[in-house]
Amino acid sequence: MVMKHYPPEFRAEAVALYRSRPGATIKSVAQDLGVNHETLRNWIRLDDAQGSEAPAAAGAAPVARASPEDENVALCKRIRELEEERDILRKAARYFAGGDALVNRFRFVSEHQRRHGVKRLCQVIGLARSSYYHWKATQPDRAARAADDADLAARIRVIHRESAGTYGVPRVTAELHDTGHRVNHKRVARVMRGIGLAGVRLRRRHRTTVADPAAVKAPDLLGRDFTAQTPNARYVGDITYLPIADGTFLYLATVMDLCSRRLVGWAVADHMRVELVLDALHAAERTRGSLAGAIFHSDHGAQYGARAFADACRTAGVTRSMGAVGSSADNAAAESLNASFKRETLQGAQSWCSAREARLAVFGWAHRYNTRRRHSHLGQKSPIDYENTLIPAPATLTHAA
């Protein structure tokens, strides 16, 4: 049976036993003695307090001075302690050059405990032993997480490379989910930061819309509602410039379905005449088979206000719609599409090297955008994948863009 009352001699011996074991913990010594570890801790605190008390009160018997030999032994011991402390700090300095300072301390103690002992090392570098032992006990779990993160980083690099360096955290996460790798987007963000990957960011927009006062006007039928319940019902179009390294420009006209965000038609030319937007509209007709009954929304650019374009829309059975003059927000969906194209193809560059390179960039991105690129508006599906989920699928959706 464990004693409830411990004589002073037992307490003193217990404290002395703990102090004689530099690498031991209070808990381990208490277990050896069969006492509660908090009881032993209190004895140690009491012994520390008694050792630091002020000199004896007046009238008490004077304390005998230590002999010169004893003082010399104590001095030598203190010198050895200081030399050991200096040696420990010199070794520790190499561990604190960078990274997580606390983890560096843990690693230092782990790698030098055989020579100096955990207790002594923790005292010198100001580290709680309980923290070190917790870090040591959880090391296998951290190693497993690090291995999982390395595997995830390899998957992310492949996805990021296949997206031509354009995908950020949301699209990478969606791609991982579709391949059966369930992972939280916050973890994806952390791993991408760790390996230095990020999606491309928005570039500053340039104005390409020049209104024609004599143009054929049309009312705004969308009112900034860039949605549609079914494909082939609402379209938006816009023109953007493509800078070439020699100082010239090409121009891209687009036609996008607001339901699936599919790029159903586009045209590239070295001019901004009405033929550019007519070619894009005719391309959309070929993709869908028919645009009859659809609304086509644009800005007040001279090309969209031209009589030839109005006549082409009337022939195709398309109702024209226009936003307010000078308001980019009234055609934001189309401008966003063009901005995404330049952001993801130029990736920070100022221009394409040649007109041919720019045309190929349009061709490659447009097809990839429709078939593979994930769209946040569509629940991270590609436009064609999204259209294929619609039941029943309209017959006009089977044509390739």
Side-chain angles (χ1 to χ4, degrees):
M1 184 175 178
V2 179
M3 290 187 295
K4 297 298 182 180
H5 175 72
Y6 302 93
E9 295 81 4
F10 181 88
R11 298 180 186 180
E13 290 293 336
V15 173
L17 179 64
Y18 166 73
R19 298 194 189 283
S20 68
R21 297 180 178 179
T25 63
I26 294 176
K27 187 173 183 178
S28 64
V29 174
Q31 288 176 341
D32 291 343
L33 296 175
V35 301
N36 184 277
H37 66 278
E38 287 299 329
T39 300
L40 178 57
R41 191 187 305 278
N42 291 334
W43 293 347
I44 294 170
R45 289 172 179 168
L46 181 61
D47 184 71
D48 289 339
Q50 290 175 344
S52 60
E53 285 181 350
V63 178
R65 292 179 57 85
S67 65
E69 292 78 6
D70 291 340
E71 289 181 352
N72 188 47
V73 170
L75 181 60
C76 290
K77 180 181 179 182
R78 181 56 180 159
I79 290 173
R80 288 194 299 271
E81 290 176 349
L82 292 174
E83 288 176 343
E84 182 187 37
E85 184 173 328
R86 181 191 61 186
D87 183 40
I88 291 173
L89 292 175
R90 280 179 177 175
K91 294 175 181 177
R94 294 194 295 270
Y95 285 75
F96 303 146
D100 189 315
L102 184 60
V103 172
N104 289 340
R105 292 185 182 191
F106 290 149
R107 290 174 177 167
F108 171 72
V109 173
S110 178
E111 294 175 13
H112 294 83
Q113 61 175 324
R114 289 183 177 274
R115 176 174 176 80
H116 301 286
V118 173
K119 182 178 179 180
R120 180 60 173 155
L121 290 170
C122 290
Q123 287 175 341
V124 173
I125 66 174
L127 188 66
R129 276 182 293 163
S130 59
S131 299
Y132 167 74
Y133 285 122
H134 175 74
W135 175 84
K136 194 75 172 176
T138 56
Q139 201 166 23
D141 293 337
R142 289 195 305 277
R145 286 196 298 271
D148 288 344
D149 282 351
D151 178 68
L152 178 60
R155 294 170 182 260
I156 289 174
R157 284 192 177 96
V158 172
I159 294 171
H160 195 260
R161 183 172 60 251
E162 290 179 348
S163 74
T166 62
Y167 276 10
V169 171
R171 292 191 175 99
V172 169
T173 304
E175 191 76 27
L176 288 166
H177 288 178
D178 275 6
T179 56
H181 194 81
R182 308 304 297 180
V183 59
N184 185 278
H185 71 279
K186 294 181 180 179
R187 185 182 174 200
V188 173
R190 174 176 59 79
V191 172
M192 288 185 69
R193 283 195 304 271
I195 59 179
L197 294 182
V200 293
R201 300 184 182 277
L202 286 170
R203 291 167 53 84
R204 185 168 57 91
R205 294 176 177 174
H206 295 262
R207 186 181 178 212
T208 57
T209 302
V210 180
D212 182 358
V216 180
K217 300 295 191 295
D220 185 354
L221 303 179
L222 298 190
R224 298 188 182 181
D225 178 13
F226 302 110
T227 61
Q229 299 303 313
T230 59
N232 203 25
R234 286 181 163 193
Y235 292 95
V236 290
D238 193 21
I239 300 174
T240 189
Y241 80 105
L242 310 179
I244 311 302
D246 61 6
T248 60
F249 295 92
L250 293 181
Y251 300 92
L252 168 66
T254 55
V255 179
M256 182 180 71
D257 191 311
L258 285 178
C259 175
S260 64
R261 290 324 199 244
R262 181 174 177 176
L263 182 56
V264 296
W266 70 87
V268 179
D270 59 359
H271 60 80
M272 289 179 64
R273 296 189 296 271
V274 67
E275 289 82 8
L276 176 65
V277 295
L278 286 173
D279 289 344
L281 181 67
H282 295 327
E285 279 190 285
R286 291 191 297 272
T287 298
R288 289 308 198 197
S290 172
L291 299 178
I295 294 174
F296 181 87
H297 182 83
S298 68
D299 56 28
H300 277 264
Q303 301 83 358
Y304 294 111
R307 185 163 300 280
F309 185 75
D311 291 342
C313 287
R314 189 179 305 110
T315 301
V318 172
T319 302
R320 295 165 61 243
S321 170
M322 285 184 172
V325 176
S327 176
S328 60
D330 284 354
N331 200 26
E335 294 199 9
S336 176
L337 173 75
N338 291 335
S340 294
F341 159 70
K342 289 202 284 189
R343 181 174 70 246
E344 296 179 8
T345 51
L346 284 173
Q347 296 193 22
Q350 297 300 312
S351 63
W352 283 275
C353 295
S354 65
R356 173 176 170 76
E357 181 183 349
R359 289 178 182 274
L360 290 176
V362 173
F363 177 80
W365 185 85
H367 284 282
R368 183 181 178 279
Y369 170 88
N370 281 334
T371 61
R372 295 192 59 194
R373 182 186 180 276
R374 297 177 180 276
H375 204 297
S376 58
H377 181 77
L378 308 176
Q380 300 300 352
K381 291 183 173 63
S382 71
I384 289 182
D385 283 345
Y386 179 78
E387 287 188 353
N388 290 337
T389 64
L390 301 178
I391 300 175
T396 56
L397 303 184
T398 59
H399 297 270

